[in-house]
Amino acid sequence: MFDIDGTLVESYDLDSKLFSESVYEGTGFSIDTDWSRYRNVTDSGILQEFFKENSISRTAEKEIKKSFVEKLKQAIAIQPVKEIAGANEFLLHLKSMRNVVISIATGGWYESAILKLVSAGIDVVSIPIASSNDHFCRVEIMNQAVLKATDGQAYPCTYFGDGTWDKEACEQLGFNFVLVGGRTKHEQNITSFRFSKEALTYIGL
């Protein structure tokens, strides 16, 4: 199971920038971009908490989402996002393996997730995706990804993510966690998917 921003594609900073811009334009309030302070670090979860703190109607989410997706389209039309080195090749390799099931669980909205993946050249055909469209809670999004990929069958799960919230969600769910990049600390850590043997070792393959 894979996160997207900062894990499969280099979009973390762009995502944060456009999200905060869309929130300000839609509400007139600036949002704190220290995402680690939010209980649910997902697009919907962050907005729920932000709306409550500022007495804003939750109906504002629809316009914020629309604005964010449009800003993202414009940004990647000018400069496409890049994959984390080796990400697409690694996914294709996993797809070729009979004993592996792949899914994506992102805290972002589905519409923006697809835009970023396509822009980076990540082939997600036949890969189930769970997103902030499915739930505001990251743990529940990950559960949804499992259900979409396995039809409820029990499999050991490894999650590739880049944030402390990914690590914490894995601890709650009992998932094996592999950190991508250096945004937090974890003993199982890769800087990219270029050295796929290391990543496969962490999965147990």
Side-chain angles (χ1 to χ4, degrees):
M1 187 181 296
F2 295 83
D3 182 31
I4 295 177
D5 297 301
T7 300
L8 291 177
V9 301
E10 297 178 5
S11 54
Y12 182 86
D13 292 336
L14 174 65
D15 200 82
S16 295
K17 176 180 179 293
L18 299 183
F19 187 82
S20 59
E21 287 179 0
S22 297
V23 170
Y24 183 77
E25 290 176 9
T27 66
F29 289 85
S30 296
I31 190 168
D32 185 351
T33 57
D34 176 12
W35 308 125
S36 62
R37 83 169 187 80
Y38 295 94
R39 182 176 180 182
N40 293 293
V41 188
T42 67
D43 287 352
S44 293
I46 290 167
L47 286 180
Q48 280 192 21
E49 194 169 335
F50 175 74
F51 292 160
K52 186 175 181 180
E53 290 174 352
N54 294 282
S55 301
I56 299 169
S57 171
R58 289 177 59 180
T59 58
E61 180 173 344
K62 183 178 180 180
E63 285 304 313
I64 292 171
K65 179 179 178 181
K66 181 180 178 182
S67 172
F68 175 71
V69 171
E70 186 57 37
K71 286 178 181 293
L72 181 61
K73 286 180 181 178
Q74 294 173 6
I76 62 179
I78 297 170
Q79 184 173 343
V81 296
K82 298 178 181 179
E83 68 166 353
I84 298 296
N88 189 54
E89 186 177 349
F90 186 63
L91 288 177
L92 291 173
H93 180 62
L94 291 179
K95 277 186 177 182
S96 71
M97 303 176 76
R98 292 183 178 181
N99 60 333
V100 174
V101 177
I102 311 170
S103 64
I104 290 174
T106 175
W109 289 303
Y110 178 81
E111 294 84 350
S112 56
I114 292 297
L115 285 172
K116 286 176 280 190
L117 290 166
V118 170
S119 177
I122 303 289
D123 182 4
V124 292
V125 174
S126 77
I127 299 180
I129 300 174
S131 69
S132 205
N133 290 34
D134 296 295
H135 207 280
F136 65 88
C137 173
R138 183 170 295 272
V139 167
E140 291 305 320
I141 290 171
M142 292 164 72
N143 278 329
Q144 285 293 315
V146 170
L147 289 173
K148 291 181 180 187
T150 68
D151 292 325
Q153 298 182 56
Y155 291 95
C157 183
T158 294
Y159 186 82
F160 288 85
D162 67 304
T164 55
W165 42 84
D166 297 316
K167 182 177 179 179
E168 290 167 359
C170 285
E171 290 172 354
Q172 291 184 53
L173 291 167
F175 289 178
N176 179 39
F177 177 64
V178 179
L179 174 67
V180 181
R183 190 163 286 115
T184 186
K185 293 183 179 180
H186 188 65
E187 62 275 9
Q188 295 186 150
N189 182 203
I190 58 174
T191 55
S192 73
F193 296 94
R194 188 177 286 118
F195 307 106
S196 60
K197 287 184 179 179
E198 183 182 16
L200 289 171
T201 299
Y202 290 145
I203 296 175
L205 297 173

